[in-house]
Protein backbone atom coordinates (compact mmCIF):
# COMPACT_ATOMS: atom_id res chain seq x y z
CA UNK A 1 0.00 0.00 0.00
CA UNK A 2 1.16 3.50 -0.73
CA UNK A 3 1.41 6.13 1.97
CA UNK A 4 -1.74 7.80 0.59
CA UNK A 5 -3.68 4.53 0.76
CA UNK A 6 -2.57 3.95 4.35
CA UNK A 7 -3.63 7.44 5.38
CA UNK A 8 -6.98 7.08 3.63
CA UNK A 9 -7.63 3.66 5.20
CA UNK A 10 -6.78 4.92 8.67
CA UNK A 11 -9.05 7.95 8.24
CA UNK A 12 -11.91 5.75 7.02
CA UNK A 13 -11.56 3.38 9.97
CA UNK A 14 -11.45 6.25 12.45
CA UNK A 15 -14.60 7.80 10.95
CA UNK A 16 -16.42 4.47 10.79
CA UNK A 17 -15.48 3.38 14.32
CA UNK A 18 -14.99 6.63 16.26
CA UNK A 19 -15.36 4.93 19.65
CA UNK A 20 -12.51 2.46 19.13
CA UNK A 21 -9.61 4.96 19.16
CA UNK A 22 -7.92 3.41 16.13
CA UNK A 23 -4.34 4.58 15.61
CA UNK A 24 -1.40 3.49 13.44
CA UNK A 25 1.19 2.15 15.87
CA UNK A 26 3.82 1.30 13.28
CA UNK A 27 4.23 1.52 9.51
CA UNK A 28 6.84 -0.47 7.60
CA UNK A 29 7.69 0.36 4.03
CA UNK A 30 9.54 -2.25 1.94
CA UNK A 31 9.77 -0.10 -1.14
CA UNK A 32 12.91 -1.07 -3.15
CA UNK A 33 13.87 2.61 -3.37
CA UNK A 34 14.15 2.75 0.41
CA UNK A 35 16.17 -0.47 0.37
CA UNK A 36 18.63 1.08 -2.06
CA UNK A 37 18.89 4.20 0.07
CA UNK A 38 19.68 2.15 3.18
CA UNK A 39 22.21 0.12 1.23
CA UNK A 40 23.94 3.29 0.01
CA UNK A 41 24.08 4.64 3.55
CA UNK A 42 25.58 1.37 4.70
CA UNK A 43 28.26 1.49 2.01
CA UNK A 44 29.15 5.06 2.94
CA UNK A 45 29.38 4.10 6.61
CA UNK A 46 31.61 1.11 5.84
CA UNK A 47 33.93 3.16 3.60
CA UNK A 48 34.22 5.93 6.17
CA UNK A 49 34.92 3.47 8.98
CA UNK A 50 37.44 1.55 6.85
CA UNK A 51 39.44 4.67 6.01
CA UNK A 52 39.65 5.64 9.68
CA UNK A 53 40.71 2.10 10.61
CA UNK A 54 43.48 2.00 8.00
CA UNK A 55 44.84 5.33 9.24
CA UNK A 56 44.64 4.28 12.89
CA UNK A 57 46.22 0.84 12.38
CA UNK A 58 48.85 2.26 10.06
CA UNK A 59 49.90 4.76 12.70
CA UNK A 60 49.75 2.34 15.63
CA UNK A 61 51.82 -0.35 13.91
CA UNK A 62 53.94 1.94 11.78
CA UNK A 63 57.21 0.35 12.93
CA UNK A 64 56.27 -3.09 11.63
CA UNK A 65 54.48 -2.24 8.39
CA UNK A 66 51.36 -0.54 9.64
CA UNK A 67 49.88 0.33 6.24
CA UNK A 68 49.81 -3.30 5.16
CA UNK A 69 48.28 -4.26 8.51
CA UNK A 70 45.51 -1.70 7.99
CA UNK A 71 44.78 -2.93 4.47
CA UNK A 72 44.66 -6.55 5.64
CA UNK A 73 42.34 -5.66 8.53
CA UNK A 74 39.90 -3.98 6.12
CA UNK A 75 39.99 -6.99 3.78
CA UNK A 76 39.14 -9.25 6.72
CA UNK A 77 36.30 -6.90 7.66
CA UNK A 78 34.88 -7.02 4.13
CA UNK A 79 34.96 -10.81 4.38
CA UNK A 80 32.84 -10.64 7.56
CA UNK A 81 30.41 -8.11 6.08
CA UNK A 82 29.87 -10.13 2.90
CA UNK A 83 29.03 -13.21 4.95
CA UNK A 84 26.49 -11.24 7.00
CA UNK A 85 25.05 -9.73 3.82
CA UNK A 86 24.69 -13.24 2.40
CA UNK A 87 22.68 -14.29 5.46
CA UNK A 88 20.35 -11.31 4.98
CA UNK A 89 19.83 -12.25 1.33
CA UNK A 90 19.40 -16.01 1.88
CA UNK A 91 16.87 -15.54 4.68
CA UNK A 92 15.01 -12.75 2.88
CA UNK A 93 15.60 -10.15 5.59
CA UNK A 94 15.03 -6.55 4.47
CA UNK A 95 18.04 -4.27 3.97
CA UNK A 96 17.09 -1.65 6.53
CA UNK A 97 18.45 -0.04 9.68
CA UNK A 98 18.94 -3.52 11.19
CA UNK A 99 21.43 -4.31 8.44
CA UNK A 100 23.38 -1.11 9.04
CA UNK A 101 23.45 -1.81 12.78
CA UNK A 102 24.69 -5.38 12.19
CA UNK A 103 27.43 -4.24 9.82
CA UNK A 104 28.73 -1.51 12.13
CA UNK A 105 28.62 -3.83 15.14
CA UNK A 106 30.63 -6.46 13.28
CA UNK A 107 33.13 -3.82 12.17
CA UNK A 108 33.80 -2.81 15.75
CA UNK A 109 33.95 -6.36 17.07
CA UNK A 110 36.12 -7.84 14.33
CA UNK A 111 38.64 -4.99 14.15
CA UNK A 112 39.16 -5.21 17.89
CA UNK A 113 39.98 -8.92 17.63
CA UNK A 114 42.39 -8.27 14.75
CA UNK A 115 44.18 -5.48 16.64
CA UNK A 116 44.71 -7.84 19.60
CA UNK A 117 46.50 -10.29 17.32
CA UNK A 118 48.50 -7.53 15.59
CA UNK A 119 49.56 -6.15 18.95
CA UNK A 120 50.87 -9.56 20.02
CA UNK A 121 52.77 -9.83 16.73
CA UNK A 122 54.40 -6.47 17.44
CA UNK A 123 55.40 -7.54 20.95
CA UNK A 124 56.83 -10.83 19.72
CA UNK A 125 58.80 -9.14 16.94
CA UNK A 126 60.62 -7.06 19.55
CA UNK A 127 62.11 -10.18 21.13
CA UNK A 128 62.45 -12.32 17.98
CA UNK A 129 66.02 -12.90 16.85
CA UNK A 130 66.30 -14.91 13.65
CA UNK A 131 62.66 -15.95 13.54
CA UNK A 132 60.87 -14.96 10.34
CA UNK A 133 57.62 -13.01 10.31
CA UNK A 134 55.46 -16.02 9.40
CA UNK A 135 56.66 -17.96 12.46
CA UNK A 136 56.14 -14.95 14.73
CA UNK A 137 52.64 -14.42 13.32
CA UNK A 138 51.70 -18.06 13.82
CA UNK A 139 52.97 -18.01 17.41
CA UNK A 140 51.04 -14.80 18.07
CA UNK A 141 47.83 -16.33 16.73
CA UNK A 142 48.16 -19.32 19.06
CA UNK A 143 48.91 -17.04 22.00
CA UNK A 144 45.71 -15.06 21.43
CA UNK A 145 43.56 -18.05 20.42
CA UNK A 146 42.23 -18.67 23.93
CA UNK A 147 41.29 -15.03 24.41
CA UNK A 148 39.51 -14.89 21.05
CA UNK A 149 37.55 -18.10 21.66
CA UNK A 150 36.49 -17.05 25.15
CA UNK A 151 35.42 -13.59 24.01
CA UNK A 152 33.52 -14.97 21.02
CA UNK A 153 31.70 -17.62 23.06
CA UNK A 154 30.75 -15.12 25.77
CA UNK A 155 29.37 -12.70 23.18
CA UNK A 156 27.52 -15.45 21.33
CA UNK A 157 25.94 -16.70 24.55
CA UNK A 158 24.48 -13.26 25.27
CA UNK A 159 23.28 -12.64 21.72
CA UNK A 160 21.97 -16.19 21.51
CA UNK A 161 19.69 -15.56 24.48
CA UNK A 162 18.35 -12.46 22.74
CA UNK A 163 17.73 -14.52 19.61
CA UNK A 164 15.93 -17.29 21.51
CA UNK A 165 13.85 -15.10 23.81
CA UNK A 166 13.51 -11.97 21.66
CA UNK A 167 10.73 -10.80 19.39
CA UNK A 168 10.87 -11.49 15.62
CA UNK A 169 12.25 -8.03 14.83
CA UNK A 170 15.20 -8.70 17.15
CA UNK A 171 15.86 -12.03 15.48
CA UNK A 172 16.43 -10.23 12.18
CA UNK A 173 19.21 -8.37 13.95
CA UNK A 174 20.71 -11.10 16.13
CA UNK A 175 20.89 -14.01 13.64
CA UNK A 176 23.08 -12.21 11.05
CA UNK A 177 25.06 -10.74 13.95
CA UNK A 178 25.77 -14.22 15.32
CA UNK A 179 27.04 -15.37 11.92
CA UNK A 180 29.09 -12.18 11.52
CA UNK A 181 30.72 -12.58 14.93
CA UNK A 182 31.67 -16.17 14.12
CA UNK A 183 33.13 -14.98 10.81
CA UNK A 184 34.95 -12.15 12.59
CA UNK A 185 36.50 -14.48 15.14
CA UNK A 186 37.66 -16.79 12.37
CA UNK A 187 39.06 -14.05 10.16
CA UNK A 188 40.86 -12.21 12.96
CA UNK A 189 42.98 -15.21 13.96
CA UNK A 190 43.20 -17.30 10.79
CA UNK A 191 42.90 -14.83 7.95
CA UNK A 192 44.36 -11.47 8.96
CA UNK A 193 47.88 -12.60 9.92
CA UNK A 194 48.17 -14.90 6.91
CA UNK A 195 47.21 -12.07 4.57
CA UNK A 196 49.56 -9.71 6.41
CA UNK A 197 52.43 -12.10 5.82
CA UNK A 198 51.56 -12.26 2.10
CA UNK A 199 51.41 -8.46 1.86
CA UNK A 200 54.75 -8.06 3.61
CA UNK A 201 56.41 -10.52 1.24
CA UNK A 202 54.88 -8.99 -1.85
CA UNK A 203 55.48 -5.35 -0.98
CA UNK A 204 58.47 -5.48 1.37
CA UNK A 205 60.53 -3.44 -1.08
CA UNK A 206 57.91 -0.71 -0.92
CA UNK A 207 58.00 -0.75 2.89
CA UNK A 208 54.28 -0.85 3.58
Amino acid sequence: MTTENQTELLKTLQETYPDNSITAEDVNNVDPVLGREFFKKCIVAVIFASVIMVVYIGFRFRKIGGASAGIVAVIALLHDILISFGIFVLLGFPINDNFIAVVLTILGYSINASIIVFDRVRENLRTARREDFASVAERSVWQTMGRTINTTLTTLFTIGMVFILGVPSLKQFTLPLIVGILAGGWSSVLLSCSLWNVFRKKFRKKRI
Side-chain angles (χ1 to χ4, degrees):
M1 297 179 65
T2 63
T3 304
E4 292 77 12
N5 290 337
Q6 295 173 14
T7 303
E8 183 179 351
L9 176 60
L10 179 61
K11 182 178 180 181
T12 301
L13 289 173
Q14 290 173 340
E15 292 175 350
T16 305
Y17 307 100
D19 298 330
N20 291 344
S21 302
I22 297 175
T23 59
E25 297 293 339
D26 187 24
V27 177
N28 293 317
N29 195 329
V30 293
D31 193 301
V33 174
L34 293 180
R36 286 194 295 269
E37 290 298 324
F38 274 115
F39 193 68
K40 290 178 182 178
K41 291 179 180 179
C42 185
I43 291 176
V44 172
V46 169
I47 292 176
F48 183 71
S50 298
V51 171
I52 294 177
M53 289 175 186
V54 170
V55 173
Y56 169 73
I57 295 175
F59 177 78
R60 180 170 177 177
F61 300 99
R62 59 191 180 280
K63 294 183 179 180
I64 57 172
S68 59
I71 294 172
V72 165
V74 169
I75 292 175
L77 291 177
L78 292 178
H79 159 272
D80 305 335
I81 292 172
L82 286 175
I83 290 179
S84 299
F85 176 72
I87 294 299
F88 266 89
V89 173
L90 289 176
L91 298 181
F93 292 162
I95 305 298
N96 53 16
D97 49 351
N98 277 342
F99 178 70
I100 297 178
V102 167
V103 168
L104 295 180
T105 303
I106 292 173
L107 282 177
Y109 181 87
S110 184
I111 196 63
N112 180 66
S114 296
I115 288 177
I116 293 296
V117 180
F118 291 169
D119 194 59
R120 183 56 60 91
V121 172
R122 180 178 60 182
E123 295 299 320
N124 287 334
L125 284 175
R126 291 176 178 175
T127 58
R129 295 294 182 263
R130 297 181 179 179
E131 197 174 4
D132 61 4
F133 182 84
S135 300
V136 172
E138 182 178 0
R139 178 155 53 91
S140 301
V141 167
W142 282 109
Q143 290 173 347
T144 57
M145 185 73 72
R147 178 264 177 200
T148 302
I149 292 176
N150 290 334
T151 303
T152 301
L153 290 179
T154 303
T155 307
L156 288 178
F157 177 78
T158 305
I159 299 177
M161 290 298 100
V162 176
F163 175 76
I164 295 173
L165 303 176
V167 296
S169 60
L170 282 178
K171 293 184 178 182
Q172 292 185 3
F173 171 79
T174 53
L175 181 57
L177 185 59
I178 289 173
V179 176
I181 287 176
L182 286 172
W186 180 85
S187 64
S188 62
V189 297
L190 299 179
L191 183 62
S192 57
C193 277
S194 299
L195 285 177
W196 193 8
N197 182 49
V198 172
F199 267 69
R200 283 176 61 93
K201 288 182 177 179
K202 187 174 182 61
F203 300 106
R204 60 181 180 269
K205 293 182 180 179
K206 298 181 181 180
R207 298 181 179 274
I208 71 168

